[in-house]
């Protein structure tokens, strides 16, 4: 069997399975939180409880922060690390590693399925939030351009984080814990360091893509010394590809030992 | 003749826990039983042979090639793992179809191979049911189906009869024997001697990670049968029973239990002893509550054979 056909088989099977998985349902609910918050602000703005423009401001200050600093990385952590970890927990890896298909094909097929699922979850929630926030600007091309930029940045962030957590999941069993430390420790703190140091976080490159003028974005751009957009896109793509190659490298060479061996 | 599976100086340990040690083994076509108590190293050996683990020292080759990360070999190898694992959310048919397609079968051929494998293990009518609704025995049969669907030349089955009902035990044993008759190589692991005896005469005894004996099962059986067996009997009148038993030719010694209601008999001819036991009890008009044999597990036999 050609490897690209095998990739399609793995991708389609695990995408279908992923749609029915409990984890997906949990993240659908979690993804609804910012949408519901956004709708509440919109309703209050419409009723006059909040001043005009409150929804747009809420979107820029809270929703974007929720997505880029919490939802996207956490979603990437759970979907990315589960690519290998889930197979180890359920002891099902043996079925995918005793077929005449390269291990890299299995990993990439599963990665693509997980990425598409996570991307759909992020994009759907993000779209609903954006529509609620920009109801009055929907006729303007600039609004749709902004949406494209937000979605593009979110998908690049998702790709990069997921590839990183996929490598962590292929390398160690308790990758969720390490991933949480990374998201809420390293990423949350180092992004505020001055100079070059903040460039060692993924979130720095993601924020550099967001179309918020300096000084107007609240804590999202606090002390951000943005990099040029093209450089940020290339940095995210390069990091994503590097982490994915690392996942493949680990997965092809590592033996996975279950506790019942011996 | 070139062996299908060849291990040389094969060793594997997990941290400071020994899996297998210095195994030299050649296995050719036909059925080979891998027999040993739990934790002996049978599964470790099979997992290395199935490319799931890497040897720490030495080599293991199948068809002359190393197995780990060698996907081409899996066209020729089938492996049924011991642990109860499956994609619980998938339907059985979907799971087998996934494996059929990854084995390179497309369209109608994949469907035909899947249906044949499920039919062989009696699950064709349940193919549309999610695996999570299956019983343990059904999942065991499904694992077997996953290992045979591509008609492998080398089939490795780790405890394939665990949890399977008596009817299917007979059918699976017959299936394994049929594979052997076709000239394929089948390696079956078990810790239950009669299971292996029902499939093959060729066995490898493995204990504490080492090959303890290899060869014809009758020779091994002879060794085991010469082991003095202990049989515990619980009855309300142990002294009267002891009187009756010591007169028998098959009894080496009798010991009373601390509870005053049981005794332990040692015999050098287990089968003949059991034949005569019932007759002696009936003739003496004794009541017996329980008869157990602590030696009926393989560990006890191994302990005896290695002189513990």
């Amino acid at each position: 069997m050609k490897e690209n056909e095998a990739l399609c088989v793995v991708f389609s099977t695990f995408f279908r399975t992923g749609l029915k998985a409990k984890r997906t349902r949990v993240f659908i609910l979690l993804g609804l939180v910012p949408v519901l918050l956004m709708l509440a602000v919109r309703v209050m703005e419409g009723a006059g409880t909040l001043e005009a423009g409150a929804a747009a401001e809420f979107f820029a200050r809270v929703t974007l922060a929720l997505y880029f600093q919490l939802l996207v990385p956490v979603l990437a952590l759970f979907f990315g690390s589960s690519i290998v970890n889930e197979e180890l927990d359920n002891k099902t890896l043996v079925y995918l590693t005793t077929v005449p298909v390269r291990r890299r094909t299995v990993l990439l097929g599963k990665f693509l399925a997980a990425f598409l699922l996570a991307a759909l979850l992020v994009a759907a929630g993000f779209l609903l939030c954006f529509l609620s926030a920009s109801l009055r600007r929907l006729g303007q091309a600039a609004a749709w351009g902004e949406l494209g930029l937000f979605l593009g940045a979110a998908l690049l962030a998702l790709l990069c984080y997921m590839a990183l957590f996929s490598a962590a999941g292929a390398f160690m069993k308790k990758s969720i814990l390490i991933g949480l430390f990374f998201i809420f420790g390293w990423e949350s703190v180092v992004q505020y360091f001055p100079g070059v140091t903040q460039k060692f976080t993924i979130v720095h490159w993601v924020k550099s893509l967001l179309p918020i003028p300096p000084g107007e974005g609240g804590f999202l751009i606090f002390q951000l010394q943005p990099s040029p957009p093209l450089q940020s896109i290339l940095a995210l793509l390069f990091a994503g590809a590097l982490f994915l190659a690392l996942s493949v490298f680990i997965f092809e060479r590592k033996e996975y030992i279950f506790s019942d061996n011996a | 003749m070139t062996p299908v599976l060849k291990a040389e100086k094969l060793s594997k340990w997990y941290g400071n826990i020994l899996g297998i040690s210095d195994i030299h083994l050649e296995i050719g076509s036909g059925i080979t039983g891998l027999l040993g108590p739990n934790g002996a190293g049978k599964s470790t050996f099979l997992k290395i042979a199935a490319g799931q683990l890497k040897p720490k020292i030495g080599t293991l080759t199948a068809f002359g090639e190393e197995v780990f990360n060698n996907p081409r070999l899996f066209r020729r190898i089938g492996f049924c793992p011991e642990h109860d694992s499956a994609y619980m959310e998938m339907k059985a048919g979907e799971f087998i179809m996934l494996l059929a397609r990854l084995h390179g079968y497309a369209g109608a051929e994949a469907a035909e191979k899947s249906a044949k494998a499920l039919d062989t293990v009696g699950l064709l009518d349940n193919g549309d049911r999610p695996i999570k609704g299956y019983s343990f025995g059904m999942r065991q049969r499904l694992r077997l189906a996953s290992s045979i669907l591509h008609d492998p030349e080398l089939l490795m089955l780790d405890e394939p009869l665990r949890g399977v009902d008596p009817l299917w035990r007979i059918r699976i044993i017959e299936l394994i024997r049929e594979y052997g008759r076709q000239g394929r190589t089948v390696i079956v692991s078990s810790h239950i001697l009669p299971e292996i005896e029902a499939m093959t005469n060729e066995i490898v005894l493995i204990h504490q990670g080492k090959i303890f004996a290899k060869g014809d099962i009758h020779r091994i059986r002879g060794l085991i049968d010469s082991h003095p067996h202990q049989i515990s009997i619980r009855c309300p009148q142990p002294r009267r029973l002891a009187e009756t038993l010591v007169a028998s030719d098959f009894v080496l010694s009798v010991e009373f239990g601390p509870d005053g209601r049981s005794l332990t008999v040692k015999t050098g001819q287990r089968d003949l002893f059991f034949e005569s036991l019932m007759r002696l009890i009936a003739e003496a008009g004794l009541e017996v509550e329980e008869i157990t044999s602590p030696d009926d597990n393989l560990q006890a036999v191994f302990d005896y054979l290695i002189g513990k």
Side-chain angles (χ1 to χ4, degrees):
Chain A
M1 181 185 221
K2 286 176 187 162
E3 292 294 321
N4 57 345
E5 287 171 23
L7 186 98
C8 291
V9 171
V10 174
F11 166 76
S12 58
T13 305
F14 285 96
F15 181 70
R16 266 200 321 274
T17 315
L19 282 175
K20 293 182 272 182
K22 272 185 200 151
R23 185 182 53 238
T24 312
R25 275 177 260 159
V26 170
F27 278 104
I28 289 174
L29 291 176
L30 200 65
L32 281 176
V33 173
V35 178
L36 293 174
L37 284 174
M38 197 66 243
L39 282 173
V41 173
R42 177 90 251 166
V43 169
M44 285 194 276
E45 189 190 307
T49 320
L50 293 173
E51 60 191 43
E57 198 177 331
F58 184 82
F59 181 79
R61 283 178 184 277
V62 182
T63 311
L64 285 182
L66 257 177
Y67 267 96
F68 286 100
Q69 302 213 143
L70 183 70
L71 265 178
V72 169
V74 169
L75 207 70
L77 171 62
F78 281 88
F79 277 83
S81 60
S82 73
I83 291 169
V84 176
N85 276 181
E86 199 175 49
E87 301 285 343
L88 299 179
D89 291 341
N90 300 333
K91 295 179 180 172
T92 45
L93 187 66
V94 62
Y95 301 114
L96 299 177
T97 50
T98 50
V99 287
V101 170
R102 283 170 171 233
R103 285 185 174 211
R104 74 177 61 174
T105 308
V106 170
L107 185 104
L108 291 175
K110 286 203 75 183
F111 180 86
L112 285 176
F115 178 74
L116 185 61
L117 274 171
L120 286 173
L121 285 174
V122 168
F126 208 88
L127 185 68
L128 289 172
C129 284
F130 183 82
L131 290 177
S132 327
S134 314
L135 213 55
R136 294 197 185 115
R137 298 168 58 218
L138 291 181
Q140 299 170 14
W144 294 102
E146 245 173 51
L147 174 67
L149 210 57
F150 287 145
L151 275 181
L155 294 183
L156 274 174
L158 195 63
L159 174 77
C160 201
Y161 280 120
M162 265 190 73
L164 173 66
F165 295 133
S166 157
F171 184 66
M172 64 188 117
K173 219 174 167 198
K174 304 284 175 203
S175 57
I176 294 273
L177 205 61
I178 304 289
L180 288 172
F181 274 119
F182 177 77
I183 294 167
F184 297 109
W186 179 265
E187 288 282 279
S188 298
V189 175
V190 178
Q191 62 166 315
Y192 298 126
F193 284 12
V196 182
T197 322
Q198 60 180 257
K199 295 189 180 185
F200 289 102
T201 63
I202 295 172
V203 74
H204 163 84
W205 302 100
V206 177
K207 283 181 176 179
S208 297
L209 290 173
L210 297 179
I212 300 168
E216 287 182 20
F219 78 91
L220 242 188
I221 57 154
F222 176 73
Q223 285 195 359
L224 176 70
Q225 297 164 332
S227 301
L230 183 64
Q231 195 185 341
S232 302
I233 291 171
L234 291 175
L236 287 169
L237 285 174
F238 176 74
L242 189 72
F243 294 141
L244 202 52
L246 185 65
S247 307
V248 167
F249 182 84
I250 296 167
F251 189 61
E252 285 204 324
R253 283 157 185 81
K254 191 171 161 62
E255 60 173 1
Y256 293 95
I257 295 169
F258 301 122
S259 54
D260 60 347
N261 279 331
Chain B
M1 191 181 71
T2 318
V4 174
L5 203 70
K6 187 176 179 183
E8 282 178 315
K9 294 180 184 171
L10 188 67
S11 298
K12 177 76 187 173
W13 55 87
Y14 312 95
N16 54 8
I17 298 169
L18 180 73
I20 50 174
S21 172
D22 199 28
I23 285 187
H24 293 258
L25 186 63
E26 290 187 0
I27 295 175
S29 59
I31 305 168
T32 301
L34 204 56
L35 188 68
N38 288 326
K42 306 182 299 289
S43 294
T44 298
F45 178 79
L46 287 182
K47 280 173 187 166
I48 296 173
Q52 298 303 294
L53 298 175
K54 292 189 233 182
K56 204 80 169 179
I57 295 176
T59 56
L60 186 144
T61 55
F63 304 106
E65 292 182 51
E66 293 207 2
V67 192
F68 189 84
N69 205 8
N70 187 354
R72 273 182 312 136
L73 263 187
F74 291 108
R75 288 182 207 288
R76 307 174 73 183
I77 296 176
F79 177 55
C80 176
E82 60 166 334
H83 39 67
D84 179 28
S85 61
Y87 294 102
M88 295 295 179
E89 301 299 322
M90 279 189 197
K91 291 171 183 169
E94 203 180 357
F95 168 61
I96 293 295
M97 189 69 174
L98 164 71
L99 296 181
R101 294 190 65 193
L102 290 177
H103 272 291
Y105 303 110
E109 196 185 8
E112 186 196 319
K113 287 279 180 189
S114 303
K116 189 181 162 200
L118 286 174
D119 193 33
T120 304
V121 298
L123 292 174
L124 188 58
D125 293 338
N126 291 292
D128 279 339
R129 278 176 58 193
I131 300 170
K132 65 182 171 192
Y134 275 28
S135 67
F136 184 88
M138 288 167 89
R139 289 199 296 273
Q140 178 73 311
R141 276 147 57 194
L142 184 64
R143 283 199 291 282
L144 182 62
S146 77
S147 65
I148 59 168
L149 81 100
H150 57 297
D151 299 317
E153 294 164 59
L154 166 60
L155 179 62
M156 292 181 281
L157 309 169
D158 200 352
E159 306 266 2
L161 300 179
R162 199 158 62 105
V164 176
D165 64 63
L167 178 66
W168 273 101
R169 287 172 96 85
I170 295 166
R171 289 186 183 171
I172 291 172
I173 288 170
E174 186 44 44
L175 175 77
I176 291 167
R177 292 172 67 170
E178 178 56 33
Y179 260 70
R181 282 195 290 270
Q182 289 170 5
R184 296 172 205 253
T185 304
V186 187
I187 305 169
V188 191
S189 88
S190 176
H191 61 280
I192 300 165
L193 181 63
E195 275 184 11
I196 297 288
E197 268 182 317
M199 297 174 203
T200 183
N201 288 333
E202 191 64 30
I203 66 167
V204 174
L205 281 181
I206 185 164
H207 184 58
Q208 291 181 341
K210 288 181 183 289
I211 301 285
F212 185 71
K214 182 180 182 297
D216 188 89
I217 201 159
H218 300 298
R219 194 173 66 83
I220 310 286
R221 198 34 148 157
L223 279 173
I224 291 169
D225 285 345
S226 64
H227 166 206
H229 280 264
Q230 291 187 71
I231 293 118
S232 295
I233 306 169
R234 236 160 69 96
C235 68
Q237 302 141 297
R239 290 193 175 278
R240 270 197 64 207
L241 179 61
E243 237 174 76
T244 311
L245 291 176
V246 287
S248 159
D249 294 340
F250 314 121
V251 174
L252 297 173
S253 66
V254 177
E255 275 178 38
F256 292 101
D259 59 357
R261 288 179 67 85
S262 65
L263 46 87
T264 302
V265 182
K266 207 173 256 185
T267 174
Q269 291 155 292
R270 183 179 175 278
D271 295 344
L272 290 173
F273 171 77
F274 273 115
E275 270 177 34
S276 66
L277 178 65
M278 296 306 151
R279 184 175 45 81
L280 291 171
I281 289 170
E283 281 173 7
L286 289 163
E287 191 185 327
V288 170
E289 292 165 351
E290 189 183 64
I291 301 172
T292 53
S293 174
D295 278 352
D296 267 352
N297 67 71
L298 204 57
Q299 182 63 53
V301 173
F302 271 100
D303 286 348
Y304 164 71
L305 291 178
I306 62 172
K308 257 192 184 177

